[in-house]
Amino acid sequence: MNDFEYGLPVTWLIEFTEALNEALDFKKFDVTLDSLNLKPSQENNRLVDKIKDELSNFLSYGQLKSNRSPIYFDLNYPDDCLGIVLFNSRNYIDADLLHEYFEKMDLLKEDAPKNYYSALIKQWINDAEIIESEVQLLVHQITKRHLNQ
């Protein structure tokens, strides 16, 4: 018999939490002198700021891939990075947070099979991959254009 917590088998919650944490890895996108292989100088510092400003015009805060997706890109992340892919405004996922999101979005369904929840997790992982790809491509395009001027 399964142990239940929050209306779901605990093993499911642990499995879903691990899958999301592993897939998301909460990737930060750095646009710094080091990441662009530039030497410290006032001119290069201005160039980095210019690139970040241009990127922030193209990347919207809270960019969702689907209406019920908790995955988005946050431009306001600290540590002097451009931004980070987050889950429901958090850079970690645990069973409590996952359950909280299921409940908040009315996703807890009585007697729902595991594949119902697995499909949600797969969609969220896909959302994160799409956002990461879009951000990486945009960072590459904009930095290349600025560095080749």
Side-chain angles (χ1 to χ4, degrees), residues 33-89:
L33 291 171
D34 287 344
S35 70
L36 299 176
N37 295 317
L38 296 174
K39 294 185 176 172
S41 73
Q42 284 186 338
E43 183 180 331
N44 285 341
N45 285 335
R46 281 193 293 274
L47 177 60
V48 168
D49 290 339
K50 189 176 181 181
I51 290 170
K52 282 184 180 179
D53 287 344
E54 188 172 341
L55 284 165
S56 66
N57 290 331
F58 285 101
L59 298 167
S60 59
Y61 175 83
Q63 178 183 7
L64 297 177
K65 291 290 139 196
S66 65
N67 289 337
R68 299 194 125 185
S69 179
I71 308 297
Y72 65 92
F73 185 73
D74 185 352
L75 283 165
N76 298 315
Y77 197 76
D79 294 339
D80 198 32
C81 74
L82 173 66
I84 187 171
V85 177
L86 295 178
F87 177 93
N88 199 30
S89 63

